[in-house]
Amino acid sequence: MKRISCISVFCFVLQHFVNAQPVCDSNTFQSVYWNAGVHDTYVTNMYVSPSFNVYMCGYTNSAVNKSVDAWIMETTARGNVLWSRAIGTPASETINGIKRTSDNGFLIFGGTRVNSKYDEGWLAKTDPEGRVQWSVRLGASWSNIYQVVELADGGYAAAGGLFLDFDGDGAGNVTDIRKSTNIVLRFDKNGNTLWWKSFYWDDLQKLNTVSQLSDGNLLVAGNIFDQTNAYVIKMNLQNGNIIWMNGFEHASVHRFSHATELPDGTIQLVTANKYYYFTADGKYLPGKSIILSSKGVDYDDAKPEQMTSISAGVDIYFANVSPKPVLFAVKNDSAIIWAHTFNQTSAKITSFHGGKVLGKGIFMAAIYQTDNLSDGTKDEQLSYLIKADANGKTLCADTFDISMRTEPLPALPNISHDWVYEGSLNPQFMQVYLEEMQPMRSGDCFTQTCCKDTITQKEDFICEGSDYRLPDGQLVKDTGRYVAAFNTITGCDSIIHTHLGFKKIFNFSLGSDTCLLDNSSVTFNVPPDTSVRYRWQDGSGGYAYTANFPGEYWATATSYCNIARDSVKVFDECRQPVYLPSGFTPNKDGLNDVFRIANINSQHLLNFNVYNRFGQLVFATDDPQKGWDGTFKNNPQPSGAYVYFVRYTDLQHNPHMLKGTVVLIR
């Protein structure tokens, strides 16, 4: 009993020690990211997983094709890069946004120029590591996808726009738009198009948001290009028919806008600095707008974007205003709790492009205009990631003076329109490549808490026909870059990047059996290879071995992937006798049932043929291990004498022929 009690006390003390270790989960940072060897790595949106890993997306220059490619990068919650990948074609691709799917993969969507010098809408589904599983282009220029949603049935719906009549400069830039339409598409989980709609009621319009309502149908919203009017539409999920629509004034529905179905069935549409509300059947309800003001800053056009609430009654917003974008917290829709901009040592943040409130941190993706980085990179737009604490602070955060008020939006009449269905799409699958990028990070403002991250680069090889076990236990079969990420007991990153090359299984041959001619020696040679260690039967090494006596000789070769062995016999005479029996009894008693060459030693058999008394060939082979079983075309042959011919070459490659008879006895 006393011994058990001591063990219990020890376990309690050990558990207390483990629990007492500090955990570094409150670090903040500001970091700039780019890909080595290319110019401009531009972020357009981001996603933060429940485990706090950050996925930034946008576009980068391809090191292979020297064109613009879509780009995805994953970092840990501490900002350390796990992987960075370019996705695209020899033409240009861009990403408007990224969405996580229920299988932990991603949807990326935007435009491609693989089939035209102008953008064409493009949607791709990736696995959790950003490798494309399928991709679809819309088959219409100029078109684009601005928002995608995963549906309850596992499929997807996409919304965007299509230009029907426009001018361009020939370099992919649109100079004038005269007519455009809304587009909505529904896909199954494998990317097959179930239906699409192209429609408009004004000459210039597009859709920028799509969501699924609790009854399964779609809610889409968009606006008119040359006006400030916007609209919201409910569409039938099964066929894309419009159930209802309504319009509203002085709105700009863009890709950060989002529609939410509230518990009472009311629909809330948040777009820029305005909140619009609709009943479940599309009737307009009073809304509100947010007005910002600050000394010395022009906020007339400020359009703050709301992110997830950080606590009850406290919402986080960002606003892209000049001279610096601002992150701020608002309590109960009116009182500013705090507001921050963010200093940088060698460049400036020009705009925020998405954010996420998660746990105790606030993540912000931004564009970073560099003046000069340590590696000489300058005058480029790179990607920037900020992790602030719950109060929006980093080591370089500046408190900013800003105020906010809300004002009711004026009552608007309910609007309906007759839609014109025009414009054609031809969705089709598209092949893309994936390019592993070499990500670079420069810490601008980093708060180190209680530990240090470790990042290890490991070069290794995968052997032909084999698996390779990564540090995290995962088995892989292909070459490439792999990452294994671990958390230390204090919550810091331990990351191992494994770069796998390819090694073939090594084999070699000492040649055919040979002989000593006129008492001379024989020298065996093996392929010279500094990555292989040879060992001969007497323990010696080297790339050659000389045999002076008859016998069997062998060598082993130890390579990275395997140990290979080969042997060879050396005879004292070059011409060895060949023996064949004079008769055989194929009665299946297990004794002398097959007529075969008794021993051909290591000489090379050319052919072994047997003929009956009519000169008919009843058996033929060039395999010295095979023989005649006394049948022809599966029929037993009669007793009697049969003629055989054996042609072979000796160890000096001189030809020989034997002729004789064998008696078949039954």
Side-chain angles (χ1 to χ4, degrees), residues 76-155:
T76 66
R78 296 173 62 81
N80 293 307
V81 180
L82 298 180
W83 49 262
S84 177
R85 297 189 171 103
I87 301 168
T89 68
S92 295
E93 281 72 38
T94 56
I95 294 180
N96 291 324
I98 183 170
K99 287 288 188 70
R100 196 72 184 256
T101 54
S102 56
D103 62 358
N104 293 322
F106 294 98
L107 294 172
I108 55 175
F109 46 94
T112 177
R113 296 185 179 179
V114 67
N115 198 45
S116 170
K117 57 189 174 184
Y118 297 101
D119 283 341
E120 178 182 338
W122 173 57
L123 168 68
K125 170 68 172 64
T126 80
D127 67 10
E129 284 75 43
R131 300 181 181 92
V132 174
Q133 297 170 318
W134 53 260
S135 65
V136 175
R137 61 182 181 88
L138 299 189
S141 175
W142 189 100
S143 58
N144 219 307
I145 294 177
Y146 296 111
Q147 192 58 267
V148 174
V149 64
E150 183 176 18
L151 303 173
D153 64 0

Side-chain angles (χ1 to χ4, degrees), residues 147 177 437 518:
Q147 192 58 267
I177 309 168
M437 309 299 286
D518 299 328

Side-chain angles (χ1 to χ4, degrees), residues 37-48:
V38 302
H39 300 283
D40 289 341
T41 302
Y42 195 98
V43 62
T44 56
N45 215 322
M46 69 178 299
Y47 168 82
V48 183

Side-chain angles (χ1 to χ4, degrees), residues 102 221 565 658 664:
S102 56
R565 185 182 189 276
L658 290 177
L664 188 158

